[in-house]
Amino acid sequence: MKVGGTHYRSIWRDGDSGEVRIIDQRWLPHEFKVVTLNTLDEFAVAIRDMWVRGAPLIGATAAYGVASAVTRDPSDANLAETCEVLNATRPTAVNLKWALDRCKSALSPLAIESRAAAAWVLAEEVVEEDVEINRRIGENGLALIREIAASKPEGEPVHLLTHCNAGWLATVDWGTATSPMYHAQDAGIPIHVWVDETRPRNQGALTAWELGEAGISHQYIVDNAGGHLMQHGMVDLVITGTDRTTARGDVCNKIGTYLKALAARDNKVPFYVALPSPTIDWSINDGVAEIPIEERPSREISHVLGMTDAGIGDVRVTPEGAGTGNPAFDVTPNRLVTGLITERGICEASFEGLAALFPDKAG
Ligand SMILES: CSC[C@@H](O)[C@@H](O)C(=O)COP(=O)(O)O
C-alpha cells in the first residue's frame, strides 16, 4: 500500500543487493524506518521484539530468514537450527510454524548445493501468495460492506470497528481485516472505521496510520469504547484478524478481541474474522484449551511509548515496581463469530464451514 504516495510492502528482497528489507514497525506511526535483516539473530530479534509483527508477516519473515541462513550454510544441521531458533520467537501465530514447516519439507530432500536458490524461490512464493490471499479476502469481504451500504440511505457511511492491526503492515500487503476496507474505498462505498487502540503495544496506531495514508475516514478509540459504540448503533460491522484459527473455527487474536465479540453478540452487531488459510491450525479444535498464549514482557504494560517533546520515548504509567500481567492474545469461541472471511469465500465458523471451503486441507 502507499506511504506518502509511494507503494511499499512490509517486507521485500532488494533487487540489487539481494538483502531483505523490512519496515521497522517499532517506530511507527512516529517515524518511518526501513532496516535490513542479515543474520539469523537479526531475523529472530525482528520477530521476537516486534520490528515485524502480525501473523502473515511473521511467516513471510521466517521464510526469508531461512533463505538467508541456508545461503550462508545449506547443511542439514543449519537448516534444522535455523527453523528451531525462528520457531521459538513467538508461540501463538501459527503462520510461523506453517512457513517453517513448508521450508523444511521443501528444502530437506534437495541436494545441498541447490538449497539456497530453492529457498529464495520458496520465500518469494510465500510472499506473493500472501498478497494474493489478502487481495481475495478483500474482494470477498467487500460483499458484506456492500450489503450493509445498500441498506442505508445513499451516502451514509458503513461504520466498521477493528481491533489490533490486521492491516498491510501485519501481512505483506493489503492486510486481512483492512483489505475489505480498501476494496470498499476503491468501489466508492463510504466507510468510517473505529480503530481500537489495542493496549499495550497500541497496534491501533499502526492501523490509524495506514488508514490515514490511504485517506480512509477513521477515529482512534480506547479499547473500552467499543461496547458503548455498539450499544448506540454506531458500529455496523466488526472485522478483526486472527493469529490462529482452530479446525472448528475458534479464533485466537490480539488480547481484547474476545471482549469485542461479546459486546457485538449482545448488541447484534455482526462479528467477522478475516482469515488467510495459512492461519488455520487443522490439528486442534478447542482454542481456549489448546492454543499457547504468549506472555510478553512486563515493560510493555508499565511503560507507554510515544512522541515526547524530546523525541520518541517511553514513560512509566504504573506505580514503580507494580506487578503486571501481559497475555498478548485471547480466544474467541466460534459461537461468537458470525463468519470467517477467507480467500475462498465466506463461511460459518465451524469445521463444516471451513472444510467446505478447504476440502483439500481439512483432512
Ligand atoms: C493479519 S494479522 C492478524 C493478527 O496477527 C493480528 O490481529 C494480531 O493479533 C497481531 O498481533 P501482534 O502481537 O501485533 O503480532
Side-chain angles (χ1 to χ4, degrees):
M1 305 300 284
K2 297 259 169 77
V3 180
T6 304
H7 181 262
Y8 277 92
R9 286 180 171 182
S10 60
I11 191 165
W12 66 95
R13 189 175 184 212
D14 181 70
D16 296 327
S17 64
E19 290 174 331
V20 177
R21 305 260 153 85
I22 57 161
I23 299 171
D24 185 344
Q25 300 187 25
R26 288 172 301 166
W27 313 114
L28 286 174
H30 311 295
E31 210 177 306
F32 182 79
K33 271 194 203 172
V34 172
V35 298
T36 299
L37 302 180
N38 282 310
T39 64
L40 175 59
D41 190 49
E42 285 167 356
F43 276 91
V45 167
I47 297 173
R48 193 194 60 221
D49 294 350
M50 295 172 68
W51 307 15
V52 290
R53 27 124 338 258
L57 177 56
I58 292 171
T61 307
Y64 273 134
V66 170
S68 160
V70 301
T71 300
R72 283 185 296 276
D73 173 1
S75 67
D76 284 347
N78 190 46
L79 179 59
E81 196 205 327
T82 299
C83 291
E84 201 177 311
V85 167
L86 292 173
N87 195 40
T89 51
R90 296 197 73 187
T92 301
V94 79
N95 305 57
L96 179 59
K97 183 175 179 308
W98 168 85
L100 293 170
D101 285 350
R102 184 166 165 178
C103 291
K104 246 187 301 185
S105 57
L107 301 177
S108 297
L110 299 182
I112 297 283
E113 59 278 9
S114 45
R115 282 184 184 168
W120 287 111
V121 170
L122 186 57
E124 293 302 333
E125 259 171 43
V126 167
V127 159
E128 294 304 329
E129 278 172 25
D130 182 66
V131 175
E132 181 56 13
I133 283 174
N134 298 327
R135 193 188 64 72
R136 289 195 200 165
I137 284 175
E139 281 179 355
N140 295 331
L142 172 62
L144 297 172
I145 298 177
R146 206 187 276 289
E147 198 181 316
I148 295 169
S151 69
K152 287 177 167 263
E154 174 94 22
E156 194 177 297
V158 175
H159 287 90
L160 296 111
L161 182 142
T162 192
H163 191 70
C164 193
N165 172 264
W168 68 267
L169 288 167
T171 64
V172 178
D173 208 348
W174 287 105
T176 58
T178 55
S179 187
M181 300 172 194
Y182 292 125
H183 279 78
Q185 184 192 40
D186 290 347
I189 300 171
I191 61 168
H192 180 81
V193 185
W194 300 108
V195 178
D196 283 355
E197 178 179 43
T198 319
R199 270 282 281 152
R201 288 291 293 238
N202 298 355
Q203 285 94 335
L206 301 175
T207 305
W209 179 77
E210 277 189 21
L211 296 176
E213 289 289 326
I216 292 180
S217 168
H218 64 279
Q219 275 166 277
Y220 190 75
I221 54 172
V222 296
D223 294 322
N224 295 329
H228 165 78
L229 296 176
M230 291 185 213
Q231 277 178 329
H232 289 268
M234 294 162 80
V235 181
D236 298 305
L237 174 65
V238 179
I239 309 181
T240 75
T242 169
D243 288 83
R244 192 186 295 222
T245 300
T246 72
R248 73 177 187 197
D250 290 355
V251 172
C252 181
N253 191 49
K254 182 51 55 191
I255 192 80
T257 304
Y258 172 49
L259 288 176
K260 293 299 167 311
L262 285 171
R265 172 56 54 95
D266 194 42
N267 292 285
K268 300 185 176 47
V269 174
F271 182 94
Y272 280 85
V273 175
L275 171 65
S277 58
T279 308
I280 306 171
D281 185 344
W282 293 101
S283 72
I284 59 173
N285 267 307
D286 182 343
V288 175
E290 297 179 85
I291 297 178
I293 300 295
E294 179 179 15
E295 184 74 27
R296 290 200 55 89
S298 169
R299 195 176 168 90
E300 292 184 350
I301 300 293
S302 60
H303 288 69
V304 175
L305 184 83
M307 183 56 88
T308 72
D309 290 345
I312 298 174
D314 53 12
V315 294
R316 181 164 49 79
V317 290
T318 55
E320 208 163 355
T324 59
N326 191 6
F329 299 92
D330 61 25
V331 172
T332 300
N334 61 2
R335 67 189 154 79
L336 296 176
V337 179
T338 312
L340 301 172
I341 309 169
T342 79
E343 70 267 27
R344 293 197 189 165
I346 298 178
C347 68
E348 118 185 327
S350 66
F351 178 76
E352 292 72 24
L354 282 170
L357 289 182
F358 299 97
D360 48 326
K361 299 185 179 166

